Amino acid sequence: MADVSTVEEAIHAEKFGVDLVATTLVGYTADTEGDDPLQTLEAILQSTNVPVIAEGNMNTPKKAKRALELGASAVVVGSAITRPQEITKKFFL
């Protein structure tokens, strides 16, 4: 498995023989800050032949649903449900 932030990284990982890629780093690297994780997911799905896991910034049910509609093999919902301090911040904006 390879955690990637760009389409190029996903293609590179596939060439090196990974079994699947995950969009874990989209939006968390200097090159991808502000990128739309769903757009990157879609581009990776169109550019690779390995299963793709939607992970990273999948912080709403709508995004998770869309990721599956686009063809993600699975969706990982991390801090959106596992970090109470982040969840409660949304109530105090």
Side-chain angles (χ1 to χ4, degrees):
M1 177 176 168
D3 290 328
V4 301
S5 65
T6 65
V7 176
E8 295 78 17
E9 290 173 1
I11 292 168
H12 188 72
E14 181 180 28
K15 286 180 183 176
F16 272 93
V18 300
D19 294 320
L20 58 98
V21 297
T23 60
T24 313
L25 303 174
V26 176
Y28 295 106
T29 65
D31 292 337
T32 64
E33 191 173 336
D35 285 5
D36 180 338
L38 292 171
Q39 287 179 344
T40 303
L41 169 67
E42 185 172 19
I44 290 172
L45 287 163
Q46 293 171 353
S47 303
T48 61
N49 294 305
V50 293
V52 181
I53 308 299
E55 180 178 2
N57 288 305
M58 292 294 132
N59 53 8
T60 68
K62 185 177 179 180
K63 283 183 182 178
K65 179 181 179 197
R66 182 67 183 138
L68 293 171
E69 291 169 348
L70 289 170
S73 296
V75 176
V76 175
V77 179
S79 61
I81 61 172
T82 62
R83 295 181 66 194
Q85 68 274 24
E86 295 299 319
I87 297 165
T88 56
K89 275 185 195 177
K90 293 176 185 176
F91 289 91
F92 299 102
L93 296 177

